[in-house]
Amino acid sequence: MKSIMVEQLVREFSLEVLAGENELDRSITRLRTHRPGLEFIGYFDFFPMERVQILGQKEITYLHQLTDSERQLRIGNVVNYHPPCFIVTAGQDGLTYLKQYCAKEKIPLLRTQESTTDFIAKMDAYLTKALAPEIALHGVCLNVFGIGILLRGESGVGKSETAHTLIGRGHRLVADDIVVLKKLSHKTILGTHDQKNKEFLALRSVGLLNVVRVYGRKSFQEETRIALDIELTKWKENTLNNELELETKFTDYMGVPIPHIQIQLQPGRDVAGLIEAAANNWYLKQQGYSAAEDFMNRIENDSGNNH
């Protein structure tokens, strides 16, 4: 199971540490945050204690209104479950009692100036990416016309060279050689780099290029949602290369099916242009239009008119 440390949240969101500054190595393994409302009134049947606990204005206002003895009971019951950390939103203060409990139980108490709603949205999005199941594979990841493409093929087939051509046409590199795929949901695979290869493109006979230094900031982006899996293969003689392929083929990545296309290579073929065409064609299909179906309908209609 993937995990991150509380310390990473402190850095990512510039959180103020109010208590538990020596406990920032506590692990977080759950994707979403939780607001302990029912738990403060004593209902713990479904308490997700492994999640980051968010204390918004509702929760803090409720605690402020309690007597000292009631507050001690309510907070003590929640703190005893030892969640990874508590984060107070909207810059709320008057938290002396919370600091004492968290310090005693060695639980980080953090604070942000952001509103509860905005902060939860950002935190949940961050945790979803940070804790998403992931795999690394050999290939190139690009964003072409705003569409995420995973480019695969045998070593030396020309993936990086094709990517270089596409970058020259104004498209963006995400990762070269090692592509990290993250599963954000049952429908979404995100492609990104592994930090070490960020902005780098390796070209045979030329060497390593930093695309941002050579082509500018617009030539690179951090991540992209994968929409197409394109495999570059050597040209196969005596095969039918102009079939309509009405039925879409897919490649499975961590249980998510990604539309798959195979492009055979031959001297003189504009592979970059074919990838641009594939991206545009995929976009049209998302809008409900299929050129192959349109063509077949015309043939059928023409045949009907001839009878």
Side-chain angles (χ1 to χ4, degrees), residues 243-289:
E243 66 268 29
L244 294 177
E245 291 199 9
L246 289 171
E247 192 170 331
T248 304
K249 297 178 181 178
F250 295 91
T251 304
D252 183 282
Y253 291 109
M254 293 178 285
V256 180
I258 303 295
H260 171 81
I261 295 173
Q262 187 181 90
I263 295 179
Q264 294 187 20
L265 305 179
Q266 192 180 47
R269 286 199 101 188
D270 180 11
V271 179
L274 292 174
I275 291 173
E276 288 178 326
N280 282 325
N281 207 37
W282 177 88
Y283 177 78
L284 287 174
K285 285 183 178 180
Q286 305 314 297
Q287 308 307 305
Y289 175 79

Side-chain angles (χ1 to χ4, degrees), residues 15-60:
L15 301 176
E16 181 183 359
V17 181
L18 302 178
E21 59 273 3
N22 295 323
E23 311 300 329
L24 300 182
D25 58 350
R26 289 173 65 91
S27 295
I28 300 167
T29 59
R30 297 294 180 177
L31 295 183
R32 289 185 296 277
T33 56
H34 176 68
R35 297 180 71 175
L38 289 173
E39 290 77 19
F40 278 137
I41 61 173
Y43 186 77
F44 289 91
D45 285 5
F46 300 97
F47 181 35
M49 57 186 173
E50 305 93 345
R51 294 185 187 176
V52 172
Q53 305 296 314
I54 305 294
L55 303 178
Q57 289 182 306
K58 290 180 183 177
E59 293 78 18
I60 296 299

Side-chain angles (χ1 to χ4, degrees), residues 292-304:
E293 290 179 5
D294 190 2
F295 178 68
M296 294 302 295
N297 288 335
R298 292 185 189 185
I299 292 177
E300 290 176 6
N301 290 335
D302 187 58
S303 298

Side-chain angles (χ1 to χ4, degrees), residues 71-297:
R71 188 184 300 128
Q72 182 176 351
L73 175 64
R74 301 305 184 194
I75 296 174
N77 285 342
V78 174
V79 170
N80 285 339
Y81 279 89
H82 288 86
C85 64
F86 290 96
I87 303 178
V88 177
T89 59
Q92 299 172 91
D93 52 19
L95 307 173
T96 303
Y97 54 88
L98 263 177
K99 294 179 186 177
Q100 292 173 346
Y101 279 97
C102 288
K104 179 182 176 183
E105 297 297 329
K106 298 181 178 180
I107 300 173
L109 176 64
L110 315 170
R111 181 164 62 187
T112 177
Q113 298 299 317
E114 289 200 60
S115 70
T116 307
T117 303
D118 290 347
F119 183 74
I120 287 177
K122 292 178 182 179
M123 178 63 73
D124 283 347
Y126 174 79
L127 291 175
T128 297
K129 287 183 182 180
L131 297 174
E134 67 179 48
I135 58 173
L137 50 80
H138 179 66
V140 180
C141 185
L142 298 149
N143 186 282
V144 177
F145 296 132
I147 296 164
I149 290 177
L150 180 61
L151 198 59
R152 298 186 298 111
E154 294 180 2
S155 180
V157 78
K159 300 182 295 296
S160 297
E161 289 81 359
T162 301
H164 181 254
T165 301
L166 286 164
I167 292 168
R169 295 185 182 187
H171 305 296
R172 296 176 175 179
L173 175 72
V174 176
D176 179 46
D177 192 33
I178 299 297
V179 180
V180 177
L181 299 181
K182 296 188 175 189
K183 180 181 178 180
L184 300 189
S185 72
H186 68 286
K187 291 183 177 180
T188 305
I189 293 289
L190 193 73
T192 186
H193 50 78
D194 68 355
Q195 292 297 329
K196 294 188 293 293
N197 64 348
K198 178 179 178 178
E199 301 176 355
F200 288 118
L201 181 69
L203 297 174
R204 281 180 170 79
S205 303
V206 175
L208 209 58
L209 292 184
N210 184 311
V211 297
V212 172
R213 296 292 184 92
V214 176
Y215 297 107
R217 177 52 55 186
K218 63 178 175 46
S219 64
F220 173 81
Q221 73 180 53
E222 290 282 342
E223 58 193 27
T224 188
R225 177 179 175 177
I226 302 297
L228 278 176
D229 175 66
I230 298 181
E231 182 184 7
L232 302 184
T233 65
K234 296 179 180 178
W235 187 267
K236 300 173 185 176
E237 296 293 340
N238 302 317
T239 58
L240 185 62
N241 295 303
N242 61 343
E243 66 268 29
L244 294 177
E245 291 199 9
L246 289 171
E247 192 170 331
T248 304
K249 297 178 181 178
F250 295 91
T251 304
D252 183 282
Y253 291 109
M254 293 178 285
V256 180
I258 303 295
H260 171 81
I261 295 173
Q262 187 181 90
I263 295 179
Q264 294 187 20
L265 305 179
Q266 192 180 47
R269 286 199 101 188
D270 180 11
V271 179
L274 292 174
I275 291 173
E276 288 178 326
N280 282 325
N281 207 37
W282 177 88
Y283 177 78
L284 287 174
K285 285 183 178 180
Q286 305 314 297
Q287 308 307 305
Y289 175 79
S290 168
E293 290 179 5
D294 190 2
F295 178 68
M296 294 302 295
N297 288 335

